[in-house]
Amino acid sequence: MATIPWAWSGVDAQGNHRAGSGTLAVAGATLPLMGMVTVYADWAARVAETGPVNMRRLYVGSTWNHSQLVARINAAHALGLVPYASMKNGGTVASWSQLAAGQFDAQIDALGAALAQMPAPTRIAYHHEPRPATLAELKIWGQAHTRFNLRIKAMAGAKAIVGPCDNGHPWSDMSFAHLSNADLDSYYTDAFVASCDAVGADFYDGETDTSSGEPAWPKARGFWRYWREYRGFTGRLDAGEWNFIEPADVELMWQQLLAGQFWAACVFNSPENNRADLPTNKGLGTPPSWLIVPGTPRMAAFRAVLDKAGIPGR
């Protein structure tokens, strides 16, 4: 068991000093795959700025678009990237109930058959970020995902890496949406977890012009501690999306990926989802967005972490 010391000090958008230090225990850490989320048409431009990555996050909206999803997965494989795909069958709690009841079995089986023909494995999740939803509704989501996992695996076998991609704030240190272990257990049932090759979540930085917020990495820390230490999960953990505002938070996220033995993580590097309340003067562009702007300390910090990840071509 090796330990990694960490120390971080930074000033948020309001001038408040944020700092911390400690150590992380790492046992036999394997370097995680590092990928990106961006506008489809901008992929080549983003990679030219960041340098090569080895995973790509993929989506197909709120309706089941089989041909579009398969085409995007095939395109990622053709570039030598591991696809991390998400799909929905309507995007509502009612659609979860329909899938759990078997009404989408034919579509699931067709997708599984297509994945079986891919040249390499595909990471696939059903309805990522299911919140806001009540615990009772999340139980239905878990039942739907369990059915999805089992049917995909029956068709695709090892060519599919199945499991959810939840929101990250249930594992937050400070979010109002933090959930207790008992609450998480209520919908992450043993049957649901047993059907999963992987479990993921999306981790976002909460810093704004008016709030110091919480970086992504403490959420990732709570996530892996729940799965590794509390649940004893030995499968794959991943970050379907994560982002950062302070450059120092990139290294701290990297250390959490190692400590939790994550197998993959995709940074949200896109001009989509512009927000008026994102902090200014942080290298977030004009208007401010999650795009990692070339020539900024944020880009330098991100590239430095990618250089550690053993990505071919870097």
Side-chain angles (χ1 to χ4, degrees), residues 274-301:
N274 290 351
R275 287 176 44 184
D277 64 342
L278 288 177
T280 55
N281 301 317
K282 295 290 181 176
L284 292 169
T286 305
S289 73
W290 298 124
L291 183 69
I292 306 174
V293 179
T296 63
R298 294 176 72 241
M299 179 63 81

Side-chain angles (χ1 to χ4, degrees), residues 132 199 205 209 236 263 265 268:
V199 178
D205 194 311
D209 274 330
R236 304 176 194 234
W263 84 288
F268 197 96

Side-chain angles (χ1 to χ4, degrees), residues 51 75-76 83 100 186 234:
S186 71
T234 59

Side-chain angles (χ1 to χ4, degrees), residues 59-77:
Y59 312 90
V60 288
S62 62
T63 58
W64 196 300
N65 189 328
H66 176 86
S67 59
Q68 185 182 67
L69 180 60
V70 171
R72 289 178 171 175
I73 292 171
N74 268 319
H77 281 302

Side-chain angles (χ1 to χ4, degrees), residues 28-49:
T30 300
L31 295 178
L33 298 174
M34 296 295 288
M36 280 196 299
V37 183
T38 195
V39 178
Y40 290 100
D42 293 351
W43 180 261
R46 296 289 83 79
V47 173
E49 294 163 355

